[in-house]
Amino acid sequence: MKVAVVGGGISGLVIAYRLRSRGRDAVLLESSSRLGGAVGTRARDGYLVEQGPNSFLDREPATRELAAALNLEGRIRAADPAAKRRYVYTRGRLRSVPASPPAFLGSDILPLGARLRVMGELFTGRAPEGVDESLAQFGRRHLGRMATEVLLDAVQTGIYAGDVERLSVAATFPPLVKLEREHRSLILGAIRTQKAQRAQQKALPAGTGVTGGTAAPPKLSGALSTFEGGLQTLIGALTAALGDAARVGARVEGLERVEGGWRLAVEERGQRSELTAEQVVLAVPAHVATRLLHPLDATLAARVGEIEYAPIAVVHLGFDAGTTPAPDGFGFLVPSGEKRRLLGSIHASTTFPFRVEGGRVLYTCMVGGARQPELVKLEEPALAQLAREELKALAGVTATPSFSEVIRWPAGIPQYNVGHLERVAAIDAALQRWPGLHLTGNAFKGIGLNDCIRNGLQLADTLAGR
Ligand SMILES: Cc1cc2nc3c(=O)[nH]c(=O)nc-3n(C[C@H](O)[C@H](O)[C@H](O)COP(=O)(O)OP(=O)(O)OC[C@H]3O[C@@H](n4cnc5c(N)ncnc54)[C@H](O)[C@@H]3O)c2cc1C
């Protein structure tokens, strides 16, 4: 059985790799000149800069399994413990995000009235059945207006760069909806879940876990992590494993159903060719999938095309050793209500000190998102200047950076807006009409690297089992 995987981001790479390691004939077609899609690391002037994602949480067994298969487990690097501290810019300054409920009550992250309102969450009722609430609606019901505007907005900004009034809570934070469904109150649900986990830990036979024998699954640290050399290390290992089976500079321009499978029209270095396969996996952004699907099934294409993207610009600013103090914590986020031009900044050199040489300081600023898409169109020097001004205003960084790098993602982050789950279910149902055609990637069932890896491995295993 031959499988053509279209799109060489992490999703497509993982699928092609897994299929081939299960002895299946899979070919990967990537339109750009390099594999990795949004993932990529560049080493320049003593800095390791990430073009897109910075890290993943080491809590996904599929990611660990992939790392182990590629012999990369020993190269996973956990974030510095200092990165546990995070900041939100609110009411005129950076404030530390409290790490526990008692710390929250005593903190200044929200004014006292708003903190007490959060405690009133214990009395929240359940949402009416069948309503796909926005994150803001859900937040206001449970936590109150201010906690929603400051905390929930900041949290979603760090992941989706979205609009809290438009994102679907069920699609973006399914565990919150599950907690509500099962326990009514999130606080109550969190307490009960923690208790149950502790009881489960106690009940485990001694020796279970990472030190308990070779059969035990690897213990996940739960820590924010990357690889030595940055996330490119993962892409490099997948690229090496795929060898000639991955074709870069190969843009798929057409898709046609033929007897026993599919025919793809491929544009490769100015040459047009055709490729037939029994199964096709589209692991491309939704707007590309829409175009490919349109001649085949206009209704399916239209549903896929409804998935919006928020543009985002990544602006790295580097400072020579001794010119500015090393910032504390993982970084800070800026709620949209603050009306600033920065979504937030990652303190990359504090989080992963190995990513800079000789005491340099690296800030990774994010600009744009669903609320300020126009900023991403600015020229690169203007974006670097904007980030500099905002870092000065928000975090008091007055030194002059000696390094900058700007990466713009016009279709950066898929937005799982209200209606997303219904849309994805309709897409899945429509795909039933097209045996051998599969859609995956970050537009549908999870945008994190962990989601893309888990979904990719699952799809490959399903295909390999056929
Ligand atoms: C700025 C930024 C920061 C992020 N931070 C994090 C983070 O810290 N942690 C985290 O877990 N996630 C993060 N993410 C999300 C995560 O990086 C992405 O969701 C994930 O990398 C998407 O992988 P993908 O393979 O699904 O899609 P993509 O990476 O978009 O890959 C799709 C590929 O398809 C190719 N393609 C397009 N058209 C064609 C065609 N016609 N023919 C062939 N190939 C084609 C593209 O060139 C591309 O390589 C971030 C994303 C961005 C943009």
Side-chain angles (χ1 to χ4, degrees), residues 48 93 96 159 163 198 209 238 267 327 330 378 426:
L48 268 184
R93 66 179 175 87
S96 167
I159 305 170
D163 180 343
R198 276 200 212 109
L238 285 165
E267 167 88 32
F330 172 71
L378 290 173

Side-chain angles (χ1 to χ4, degrees), residues 123-408:
F123 306 103
T124 313
R126 287 187 174 85
E129 278 292 317
V131 178
D132 187 12
E133 281 190 307
S134 71
L135 201 49
Q137 285 171 322
F138 181 91
R140 283 192 287 266
R141 238 170 10 84
H142 279 275
L143 309 169
R145 187 183 56 80
M146 192 136 191
T148 300
E149 284 175 6
V150 177
L151 299 179
L152 216 48
D153 192 313
V155 170
Q156 74 76 17
T157 295
I159 305 170
Y160 294 95
D163 180 343
V164 73
E165 299 288 346
R166 295 191 66 207
L167 290 172
S168 151
V169 64
T172 52
F173 293 93
L176 293 183
V177 175
K178 185 167 180 276
L179 271 185
E180 177 186 277
R181 205 174 298 131
E182 291 173 0
H183 304 277
R184 184 185 52 74
S185 150
L186 305 179
I187 298 181
L188 220 56
I191 294 171
R192 288 181 187 148
T193 309
Q194 240 179 22
K195 258 192 190 160
Q197 278 168 351
R198 276 200 212 109
Q200 210 177 13
Q201 290 275 312
K202 271 195 194 149
L204 283 176
T208 308
V210 76
T211 54
T214 47
K219 191 160 163 35
L220 301 168
S221 68
L224 204 67
S225 303
T226 183
F227 292 94
E228 180 189 301
L231 291 171
Q232 180 63 34
T233 298
L234 177 61
I235 303 301
L238 285 165
T239 305
L242 280 169
D244 292 345
R247 284 159 53 181
V248 293
R251 177 184 307 279
V252 173
E253 298 204 319
L255 179 67
E256 197 188 343
R257 184 93 177 110
V258 291
E259 182 67 30
W262 296 88
R263 184 162 45 218
L264 305 176
V266 186
E267 167 88 32
E268 212 166 354
R269 287 176 213 93
Q271 301 281 328
R272 224 178 144 89
S273 64
E274 285 180 346
L275 184 145
T276 49
E278 286 165 75
Q279 308 270 337
V280 173
V281 177
L282 297 183
V284 289
H287 54 95
V288 178
T290 310
R291 233 175 26 236
L292 292 172
L293 292 169
H294 194 263
L296 197 68
D297 185 334
T299 317
L300 169 60
R303 295 308 317 251
V304 174
E306 287 169 13
I307 299 169
E308 293 174 30
Y309 282 73
I312 193 160
V314 182
V315 184
H316 296 282
L317 294 181
F319 298 83
D320 289 340
T323 57
T324 190
D328 181 54
F330 172 71
F332 64 87
L333 288 162
V334 189
S336 56
E338 293 294 328
K339 308 260 180 280
R340 303 297 318 192
R341 293 174 297 163
L342 211 58
L343 297 170
S345 179
I346 296 171
H347 300 156
S349 48
T350 306
T351 305
F352 297 116
F354 71 86
R355 284 188 38 202
V356 294
E357 282 171 18
R360 290 170 172 80
V361 169
L362 180 64
Y363 285 88
T364 301
C365 303
M366 304 286 174
V367 179
R371 299 279 196 126
Q372 296 173 308
E374 67 287 353
L375 292 181
V376 179
K377 292 191 186 133
L378 290 173
E379 297 294 325
E380 291 181 8
L383 276 164
Q385 180 61 23
L386 176 161
R388 231 187 113 176
E389 288 166 10
E390 288 292 282
L391 268 191
K392 184 174 173 189
L394 307 182
V397 181
T398 52
T400 306
S402 56
F403 170 94
S404 78
E405 182 151 330
V406 177
I407 305 107
R408 277 183 293 188

Side-chain angles (χ1 to χ4, degrees), residues 6-11 29-32 36-39 52-55 250-252 283-285 288 312 314 409 412-413 441-442 447-449 452:
V6 185
I10 187 68
S11 300
L29 302 160
E30 163 58 41
S31 57
S32 75
V39 188
N54 264 264
S55 53
R251 177 184 307 279
V252 173
V284 289
V288 178
I312 193 160
V314 182
W409 297 100
I413 317 258
N442 66 352
I447 72 154
L449 294 173
C452 295

Side-chain angles (χ1 to χ4, degrees), residues 166 300 302-308 415-429 444:
R166 295 191 66 207
L300 169 60
R303 295 308 317 251
V304 174
E306 287 169 13
I307 299 169
E308 293 174 30
Q415 299 294 294
Y416 293 0
N417 287 334
V418 168
H420 185 79
L421 293 183
E422 182 273 322
R423 195 172 295 124
V424 170
I427 291 167
D428 281 346
F444 305 101

